[in-house]
Amino acid sequence: MDKIKLGLVGCGGMGMRHLHGLRELSRTPFSNVELAAVCDIDRESAEHGAADAEELLGIRPEVFTSLEEMASGVSDLAAVDVVIDPSFHQKVVCQALDMGLHVMVEKPMAVTMKACHSMIEAAARNDRKLSVAENYRRDPSARLVHHLLEKGAIGSPYMATFHALSPGDEIFITPWRHLKDRGGLLLDLGVHFTDLIRYQLGDVAEVYGDARLVEPVRRKPASMSSPYRYYQDRFKKLAEEVPATAEDTSVAMLRMESGVVVSWIVGSSGHGSCGGNRILGDRGVIEGFGTRGGTTAVKEAGQEEVGFGDLVAASDDFELEPLAAHLFPDRMAAGDSAVDWKLLALEYFELAEAALGGRDLEVDGVEGMKDVAVVNAILESSRAGRAVTMSEVESGEVYEYQAEIDAALGN
Ligand SMILES: NC(=O)c1ccc[n+]([C@@H]2O[C@H](COP(=O)([O-])OP(=O)(O)OC[C@H]3O[C@@H](n4cnc5c(N)ncnc54)[C@H](O)[C@@H]3O)[C@@H](O)[C@H]2O)c1
């Protein structure tokens, strides 16, 4: 199979996980990506990345501390995988696209609409592919929910809940996830959810939201269990307390273009929890939107609830794309300890196919921008004290909250 040469930009926590994704892909007959180089502005992280890559892939990639050096130092480099803090996505992604490279960038695509639009323009200007790595929708559970909705398993959906509020004031993975200018917790977490909501229910029309900062100080968790050496090492160096400037708690009503209304409660703060994701239709209910390693269940009117395994078994017409079918032969990922990596393998494969043969991307720049826009609509609505339309937010007509971020970042 033809392969593209790829460089990994960003060897932090998620960058390390991307290396596992490359290994998963390399073990399949669909292997179409060759990791040629890794790059991180922090040399120690870049060296760790190269060492892990050698262990996982059997070949040590070249090591760089800047994108410019990497692009000029590696011949025939076709694409980069940008896995750095979201506030730097715009600069690095636009630079890579202007160098003629295809790009996959981690979610959230960027922090503000202005940054997202400049990335979309750079991809168009250079006729390069720009893929946003939205992984949750690629899980078989999300694919099954999508399939069931398309089949009309619950009739016409009219309402949904997306409630994911957990208590506490612990640092959420990294201190930057608590800083408004760096892509706060609601964006970092929430964009996974807005992508799932849009994937299952279509585009959002209007948002009325309230967002608050409940925990202005975040504290180091008492312990951390992670199979990744990188996360363990970083945990040891984590400060006992860090300041938080980004909102950590949100309540919103999303009115979808289809007329479906979604009740949203997302965050991590305070003392109570609130959970439960379901899609209600006029003939039944689907539990959940699907998620990484997730399950779903369906209750049709007047019937007993049918669980995930039985749903899959009964759905002969539920098919995964060929690589996904290879990675998940049972059409399920729940309980699969490699699910995170396998979803990444699917993202890499799609990028390489797009670069080699022009395949359309599932989550391109416009889709990635729309996912960010819904989270920013909640933040802008909260600031404006009124409901905002998605066209006002996507066009930048409503922009007070994000203007402060652009000013702080010098965008
Ligand atoms: N899809 C998922 O499930 C998932 C999970 C975790 C993180 N992420 C996303 O991955 C991205 C990275 O998050 P993380 O947790 O790995 O962050 P991190 O802080 O652990 O790592 C970021 C790395 O990028 C490096 N970096 C920053 N600017 C750079 C530049 N200009 N050039 C090269 N390297 C640079 C930093 O030195 C650091 O090593 C974020 O967008 C985050 O939202 C996605």
Side-chain angles (χ1 to χ4, degrees):
M1 186 167 260
D2 287 344
K3 291 190 179 186
I4 60 161
K5 266 196 190 179
L6 175 115
L8 172 66
V9 183
C11 302
M14 192 57 180
M16 296 296 115
R17 287 157 59 185
H18 277 228
L19 294 174
H20 286 267
L22 284 169
R23 183 181 59 168
E24 287 299 327
L25 179 59
S26 74
R27 290 166 155 177
T28 73
F30 298 82
S31 177
N32 60 358
V33 178
E34 176 195 330
L35 181 69
V38 297
C39 160
D40 197 295
I41 44 174
D42 177 52
R43 176 159 289 278
E44 199 184 328
S45 298
E47 293 290 350
H48 274 151
D52 277 18
E54 186 172 9
E55 209 176 302
L56 292 165
L57 301 164
I59 299 172
R60 187 178 171 80
E62 292 188 59
V63 176
F64 297 93
T65 53
S66 81
L67 174 62
E68 294 91 326
E69 286 169 26
M70 185 168 84
S72 58
V74 180
S75 60
D76 301 327
L77 190 70
V80 287
D81 174 24
V82 178
V83 195
I84 64 178
D85 332 15
S87 51
F88 306 134
H89 284 179
Q90 177 202 12
K91 182 169 167 267
V92 172
V93 168
C94 289
Q95 215 179 357
L97 291 165
D98 284 336
M99 287 169 176
L101 298 166
H102 300 287
V103 175
M104 179 162 92
V105 62
E106 256 301 342
K107 50 55 62 181
M109 179 176 169
V111 183
T112 66
M113 285 298 97
K114 188 174 172 192
C116 290
H117 286 304
S118 76
M119 292 157 77
I120 293 168
E121 281 158 22
R125 169 168 81 234
N126 294 290
D127 192 21
R128 298 289 88 179
K129 299 288 181 184
L130 171 58
S131 171
V132 182
E134 282 294 353
N135 43 358
Y136 287 22
R137 64 160 67 197
R138 295 178 194 270
D139 189 272
S141 60
R143 297 302 199 204
L144 181 62
V145 171
H146 195 76
H147 171 78
L148 292 169
L149 285 169
E150 277 193 336
K151 265 180 60 176
I154 57 164
S156 288
Y158 59 91
M159 184 188 276
T161 60
F162 208 113
H163 294 171
L165 179 73
S166 56
D169 63 354
E170 291 182 346
I171 297 169
F172 180 60
I173 315 175
T174 51
W176 61 253
R177 285 178 169 83
H178 297 291
L179 300 176
K180 174 181 168 184
D181 307 337
R182 303 285 300 277
L185 187 149
L186 291 182
L187 181 63
D188 194 67
L189 195 62
V191 83
H192 280 301
F193 306 154
T194 58
D195 186 66
L196 277 174
I197 290 170
R198 292 186 52 259
Y199 174 55
Q200 305 298 11
L201 298 173
D203 276 335
V204 180
E206 190 179 48
V207 173
Y208 186 48
D210 183 288
R212 297 171 189 219
L213 172 56
V214 174
E215 305 290 353
V217 177
R218 289 274 163 174
R219 296 172 218 287
K220 181 175 180 173
S223 63
M224 198 237 3
S225 66
S226 166
Y228 301 99
R229 188 182 57 201
Y230 180 89
Y231 284 118
Q232 292 158 4
D233 290 350
R234 187 166 59 189
F235 181 74
K236 288 181 200 141
K237 296 180 202 152
L238 199 58
E240 287 302 319
E241 285 187 2
V242 298
T245 55
E247 290 75 2
D248 51 24
T249 310
S250 60
V251 178
M253 192 180 92
L254 316 181
R255 194 168 55 75
M256 311 301 288
E257 281 182 357
S258 62
V260 176
V261 65
V262 181
S263 158
W264 161 287
I265 300 179
V266 169
S268 177
S269 65
H271 305 284
S273 61
C274 185
N277 304 340
R278 55 187 57 92
I279 302 169
L280 286 70
D282 56 11
R283 286 202 290 110
V285 56
I286 297 182
E287 292 297 326
F289 286 68
T291 186
R292 177 174 50 200
T295 61
T296 183
V298 171
K299 187 171 180 338
E300 287 181 51
Q303 310 280 320
E304 291 290 306
E305 182 174 281
V306 183
F308 188 41
D310 291 337
L311 274 173
V312 173
S315 303
D316 291 340
D317 54 347
F318 169 53
E319 283 180 15
L320 298 173
E321 66 172 286
L323 174 56
H326 178 87
L327 294 168
F328 305 111
D330 299 333
R331 296 179 291 163
M332 295 193 272
D336 183 338
S337 58
V339 58
D340 188 35
W341 312 335
K342 291 180 178 178
L343 299 182
L344 287 160
L346 288 166
E347 293 170 348
Y348 277 123
F349 177 72
E350 188 195 81
L351 174 78
E353 283 229 303
L356 288 166
R359 170 181 172 169
D360 285 341
L361 295 164
E362 182 165 341
V363 186
D364 60 9
V366 172
E367 286 293 302
M369 176 275 292
K370 284 173 179 275
D371 292 336
V372 173
V374 179
V375 179
N376 281 342
I378 295 171
L379 294 157
E380 294 289 0
S381 168
S382 185
R383 173 67 67 89
R386 65 169 175 90
V388 295
T389 64
M390 286 316 303
S391 62
E392 282 178 315
V393 176
E394 288 175 15
S395 67
E397 255 172 83
V398 174
Y399 207 69
E400 195 179 307
Y401 181 90
Q402 295 163 85
E404 291 166 2
I405 298 176
D406 282 336
L409 295 176
N411 286 342

